Amino acid sequence: ELGLVYFAVGNCGPDYDGSMREGDNLFCTSIVALKAKTGEYVWHFQQVHHDIWDYDAASPVVLFDTVINGQPRKGIAEAGRTGWVYILDRTNGKPLIGIEERPVPQDPRQKTAKTQPYPIGDATVPQCADSLPGYENAGCIFTPFWETPTLIQPSGIGGTNWSPMPYSPETGYFYVPGTVRTSAFTRYGDKYVVGKRYVGGSQAAPIGTSMSGTFTAIDSRTNKIAWQHKTPYRIGGGGGSTVTAGGLVFRGEPDGNFLALDAKTGEELWRFQTGFGADAPPVVYEVDGEQFVAIATGGNQLQGSAYGDAVWVFSLKGQLGPLWPPPPPQTVAGPVGPITPGVDAIKIGDLNVEYSYAPARIRIKAGTTVTFTNVGDLPHDATAMEQGAWGTGMLAKGESKVVTFSKPGIHYYICTPHPWMYGQIIVE
């Protein structure tokens, strides 16, 4: 109708090192509108200035029509990793509900922005991290960091990631999945190499810290919580949900359950165990006057849910029963799986599982040399959680690096560009 195309933009690079990219860094972490016929710039709204927290706008934008102060308005909204929903006028990019620029903590080394946008209303996830033993610094959203790990919430893998957020014109609500997760952010200024991933630091959830989720109905007229469910598992990196004109919200969970909720109240009306991680967005459709609801249950590596290859289709005439529940996803950060003794070779991205170490947990004797080989398609590394202790450096597909472990102890490590990948080496 307006002849515009809208899209959300990822974060700038290097992700965690803002020292060489002074300024707001447009148009990173923004919603942008262009003329569809010509590509000409029309407007933008930046959710995070000079983003150093990996808060890129990854969830799809949603167009909706509403009435505010008695006037019909054309809206656009996007759920951010910050935990806020950004609600704008899609004709001009101005906030439909107030968004205030507020002063934030500064670190001149990171060339931090002096202010950040704070939407009026409610966040869907907590925005402050608790202190933990072994960490000197803990802060809230927009806390800067340097080379000493700093605990911040939401993490860059918190809030709403790629999950879509539907809108119901009947209730006026957005339905927002969220991940509750703390990360320790660190900048270490790695060197830029052509063709290699360049992130300038990393973030990782401290081993053993809890990870959970929220599912929230946000009122589009106030940007406040209408109702919220707290979930034992992360859901902000999964499939989102679908809302119907009949007043139902369908959504899957990483424990395999597929749910129907009352769109107005959030009351759970029905659940069905699909047997695999139910992390894709449900689809509602009609054939010859009969309505169906479908969901692909294939699991989701980011959320740690069980892999599968099922497509479930439901109707009021359905006759299939539920499956046995799959193993539940993890609710604390760290490596998973059995501890394998006597292994001196670890493959990254093995068995067509790109973001993984295989085996992820090993036990070796002191003095053992371990070979890390990247058999995945993307560049990966293995870097100690203790900054500077040891690391393979970035490995392209087919590359290997050896590391000798002489000192007894427990060594945890991550892939710095993909910090949801964890490994553990027990040296005896």
Side-chain angles (χ1 to χ4, degrees):
E1 182 181 347
L2 298 176
L4 301 178
V5 58
Y6 306 93
F7 57 95
V9 186
N11 54 283
C12 287
D15 301 38
Y16 310 104
D17 185 359
S19 64
M20 77 288 289
R21 50 179 175 86
E22 187 172 7
D24 284 349
N25 305 147
L26 294 175
F27 293 92
C28 299
T29 319
S30 300
I31 301 172
V32 179
L34 308 177
K35 290 185 178 179
K37 287 186 177 180
T38 65
E40 180 185 350
Y41 166 86
V42 179
W43 61 256
H44 78 277
F45 180 86
Q46 189 171 51
Q47 299 173 6
V48 182
H49 310 315
H50 190 73
D51 182 11
I52 58 173
W53 302 274
D54 199 35
Y55 284 155
D56 50 307
S59 181
V61 296
V62 177
L63 306 187
F64 67 103
D65 294 331
T66 188
V67 176
I68 294 181
N69 297 326
Q71 299 296 316
R73 304 292 294 273
K74 296 181 183 298
I76 183 172
E78 203 256 353
R81 294 195 191 191
T82 58
W84 284 305
V85 177
Y86 298 85
I87 302 174
L88 310 175
D89 185 323
R90 70 175 181 267
T91 69
N92 57 23
K94 304 298 183 184
L96 281 179
I97 299 165
I99 300 178
E100 300 174 342
E101 288 286 337
R102 299 182 188 174
V104 291
Q106 297 293 297
D107 188 327
R109 296 169 297 184
Q110 282 279 30
K111 295 186 169 56
T112 41
K114 289 183 173 56
T115 64
Q116 293 288 356
Y118 278 71
I120 293 174
D122 297 326
T124 63
V125 298
Q127 293 181 311
C128 287
D130 295 328
S131 297
L132 292 173
Y135 290 88
E136 296 179 18
N137 304 321
C140 300
I141 189 170
F142 303 134
T143 296
F145 56 91
W146 194 241
E147 293 175 355
T148 299
T150 299
L151 302 173
I152 302 172
Q153 201 171 132
S155 75
I157 311 174
T160 304
N161 282 355
W162 303 283
S163 305
M165 172 190 71
Y167 170 77
S168 168
E170 277 74 27
T171 64
Y173 297 164
F174 301 110
Y175 299 92
V176 189
T179 290
V180 180
R181 182 183 189 267
T182 294
S183 273
F185 287 81
T186 311
R187 177 266 185 198
Y188 50 68
D190 55 343
K191 184 179 179 181
Y192 174 70
V193 178
V194 175
K196 297 285 183 78
R197 186 174 285 255
Y198 180 46
V199 294
S202 192
Q203 58 163 314
I207 302 295
T209 54
S210 64
M211 302 183 295
S212 60
T214 59
F215 187 76
T216 309
I218 288 285
D219 192 323
S220 65
R221 295 151 295 207
T222 62
N223 206 12
K224 292 187 176 181
I225 294 174
W227 52 261
Q228 184 179 73
H229 295 168
K230 290 181 168 60
T231 66
Y233 313 116
R234 296 166 286 169
I235 60 173
S241 60
T242 296
V243 61
T244 72
L248 297 178
V249 176
F250 288 100
R251 72 175 183 88
E253 291 204 325
D255 65 359
N257 280 302
F258 187 42
L259 311 181
L261 311 175
D262 184 301
K264 185 67 176 177
T265 67
E267 178 189 0
E268 183 180 315
L269 305 175
W270 171 83
R271 70 169 46 209
F272 185 94
Q273 178 53 250
T274 68
F276 311 104
D279 295 299
V283 177
V284 180
Y285 61 98
E286 185 179 295
V287 177
D288 297 330
E290 184 176 1
Q291 193 170 18
F292 298 88
V293 181
I295 184 171
T297 57
N300 177 301
Q301 188 168 23
L302 183 64
Q303 302 197 148
S305 55
Y307 294 160
D309 60 358
V311 176
W312 287 91
V313 179
F314 300 89
S315 80
L316 294 180
K317 302 175 184 176
Q319 313 222 352
L320 288 178
L323 295 182
W324 291 104
Q330 67 188 100
T331 57
V332 296
V336 295
I339 297 174
T340 306
V343 171
D344 63 0
I346 295 174
K347 293 182 178 180
I348 308 174
D350 195 24
L351 302 175
N352 203 33
V353 182
E354 183 69 39
Y355 303 104
S356 68
Y357 299 104
R361 307 173 74 196
I362 66 172
R363 180 184 286 112
I364 59 176
K365 298 293 184 182
T368 301
T369 297
V370 177
T371 302
F372 293 85
T373 302
N374 183 10
V375 299
D377 293 322
L378 300 177
H380 296 289
D381 68 2
T383 298
M385 293 280 286
E386 303 82 15
Q387 184 183 352
W390 61 271
T392 62
M394 202 59 62
L395 301 175
K397 182 174 184 176
E399 289 186 335
S400 296
K401 183 69 179 288
V402 298
V403 179
T404 299
F405 293 88
S406 302
K407 184 179 179 181
I410 298 176
H411 303 265
Y412 291 103
Y413 61 93
I414 62 168
C415 176
T416 50
H418 312 112
W420 55 90
M421 295 169 57
Y422 288 88
Q424 179 186 27
I425 298 174
I426 302 170
V427 182
E428 297 177 332

